[in-house]
Amino acid sequence: KLSYFSKVQFLYGRSIEFPIATNGVDDRETTRQQEGKKAEVRCTTSKGPIVMTLYEDWSPNGYRKAAELFERGYYDHSHFFGVVPGFLVQFGIGYTADLDLKEFADSTVEDDPKRTDLMPFREGYISFAGSGGKNSRSSQLFFAYNNVKHLGNYPWETPIGEVTEGMEIVRNFYSGYGDMPPWGNGPQKGLIRNEGASYIENKFPLLDKFEICHVKRIDGKPTKNPTKSATSSGSESFPPTISAPTVRPTSKPVKGSPSASPTLAPNSDRKGRLIEFTVENLDGEPGKKGTFIVLTRP
C-alpha cells in the first residue's frame, strides 16, 4: 500500500502537505493517462452488422494501417476466406481496382512492441496476419475465436483492436471449407489475388463477406490504465479514487478549499509528478484564489 505526501515551497512562499494516495491503493493502479486515438469501424456483412474498435495505443503502426484501409474501402465486399472454428477468421485480400490503394495495401509496416497486458489473445481480438517474417504486416487480418493461448507468439500477432458488437455474427460465419490446403479445403490466397471475387463466388459460394464499412475516428480521452507508471506527464484528470486536494496546516498554512480536481502538469525530469490545483477563498478571504503546483515524490 502506498501513501504519498509532498511538503514543498510554492506560491507566496507558503508550503502545503498534499496526499496523493491515501486510500491504500497502489498509485499505479489509479493513474489516468491520455488514451490513444480510436477508430470505430461499423460494417455490414452477409450475416449481419458488426462493430470493431481499433486502438492506437495497442499497436500504433498496425492501427494506422488498418484504419486507413477500412476508410478507403479496401475491405468492402471482400470475403472471410479462412474460417476455422475454435481458432480464427482470416480476411483482408481486397478486390479494388485502384492501383494506388493496392500498392498501399501490399506495403508493409513495422511490428509494434507487444503489450503483455493484452496477452493472451481473447475472443474478438483483431490482429494482422503476417507472411512469415518480421515487419511483414500488410493487409490481411484475423478475428480470434475463443481465448487462443498460442496466438501472440509471432512478431505480427499484436492485437490492434477488438469486435465490440456482433461477435455472435462473427461466430456464425460459414466455416464448412475450413482453412486453405493442406490444412483444409478453403480458398488459396494466391488464386484470390489473381482471380479476384469470381474465384470465391464460383468455387466457394457459401463464404461470408463484408458489404460496406464506415469508419469514425475518435480522439483520445482520459482513461484509467493500470499499466501506466505513476511518473506520467501531460495534462490529465485524477480518477475519483484519488483524494481531492486537501489543504493541511504546516509551518505557514494555506487556508481555503479546492475549487476543482487536481491535474497533472508537464514534468520534464520524470522524477516525480507535478500536481496543479486551485484553492478558493485563499487565507479566508472571499473570492481570493491561488493556483499551486506541487512536485510529488514517494
Side-chain angles (χ1 to χ4, degrees), residues 109-150:
V109 296
E110 291 185 3
D111 296 323
D112 287 300
K114 291 187 183 298
R115 282 183 44 172
T116 56
D117 59 311
L118 297 176
M119 298 296 168
F121 267 62
R122 294 188 280 272
E123 184 173 62
Y125 270 7
I126 307 164
S127 171
F128 276 92
S131 59
K134 292 183 178 180
N135 305 322
S136 62
R137 296 182 296 177
S138 56
S139 67
Q140 293 184 47
L141 300 168
F142 66 83
F143 300 128
Y145 278 151
N146 301 326
N147 297 331
V148 185
K149 293 184 178 180
H150 65 268

Side-chain angles (χ1 to χ4, degrees), residues 274-287:
L274 292 177
I275 310 300
E276 182 175 353
F277 61 94
T278 301
V279 171
E280 292 183 334
N281 304 323
L282 185 63
D283 294 340
E285 295 183 26

Side-chain angles (χ1 to χ4, degrees), residues 201-227:
E201 291 164 357
N202 292 333
K203 297 189 176 181
F204 306 92
L206 298 179
L207 283 180
D208 288 293
K209 64 180 181 178
F210 283 114
E211 292 175 350
I212 300 293
C213 295
H214 300 279
V215 178
K216 178 183 177 182
R217 299 274 188 159
I218 302 171
D219 289 334
K221 60 183 179 180
T223 183
K224 181 177 178 180
N225 187 335
T227 64

Side-chain angles (χ1 to χ4, degrees), residues 3-126:
S3 185
Y4 291 169
F5 294 84
S6 179
K7 185 179 290 187
V8 296
Q9 295 293 321
F10 54 103
L11 240 57
Y12 310 123
R14 297 177 174 87
S15 60
I16 188 171
E17 188 172 284
F18 177 72
I20 302 306
T22 58
N23 53 3
V25 178
D26 190 311
D27 202 18
R28 290 170 298 179
E29 294 179 356
T30 54
T31 300
R32 288 169 76 94
Q33 69 165 357
Q34 190 72 16
E35 183 183 49
K37 295 178 181 178
K38 296 189 291 188
E40 183 183 82
V41 185
R42 292 185 172 270
C43 301
T44 52
T45 77
S46 51
K47 274 289 196 298
I50 64 172
V51 180
M52 296 164 275
T53 304
L54 310 180
Y55 303 101
E56 182 184 48
D57 55 2
W58 284 21
S59 176
N61 294 326
Y63 163 86
R64 287 188 285 269
K65 180 71 182 286
E68 184 170 346
L69 285 170
F70 274 111
E71 280 181 328
R72 296 175 67 178
Y74 178 77
Y75 297 114
D76 291 356
H77 308 296
S78 66
H79 287 82
F80 303 106
F81 56 79
V83 184
V84 184
F87 186 36
L88 55 74
V89 177
Q90 191 164 341
F91 63 95
I93 302 178
Y95 308 132
T96 181
D98 184 330
L99 295 181
D100 287 338
L101 182 52
K102 277 186 176 181
E103 182 178 0
F104 174 69
D106 290 340
S107 66
T108 58
V109 296
E110 291 185 3
D111 296 323
D112 287 300
K114 291 187 183 298
R115 282 183 44 172
T116 56
D117 59 311
L118 297 176
M119 298 296 168
F121 267 62
R122 294 188 280 272
E123 184 173 62
Y125 270 7
I126 307 164

Side-chain angles (χ1 to χ4, degrees), residues 145-211:
Y145 278 151
N146 301 326
N147 297 331
V148 185
K149 293 184 178 180
H150 65 268
L151 284 174
N153 293 328
Y154 292 106
W156 57 84
E157 290 177 348
T158 302
I160 64 169
E162 60 188 337
V163 177
T164 46
E165 294 180 30
M167 191 61 206
E168 69 281 359
I169 301 293
V170 176
R171 292 191 201 100
N172 288 319
F173 288 154
Y174 184 76
S175 61
Y177 304 117
D179 203 350
M180 65 179 182
W183 304 281
N185 299 309
Q188 298 182 48
K189 297 177 185 179
L191 292 177
I192 301 175
R193 288 185 176 279
N194 294 335
E195 300 181 23
S198 61
Y199 166 66
I200 298 284
E201 291 164 357
N202 292 333
K203 297 189 176 181
F204 306 92
L206 298 179
L207 283 180
D208 288 293
K209 64 180 181 178
F210 283 114
E211 292 175 350

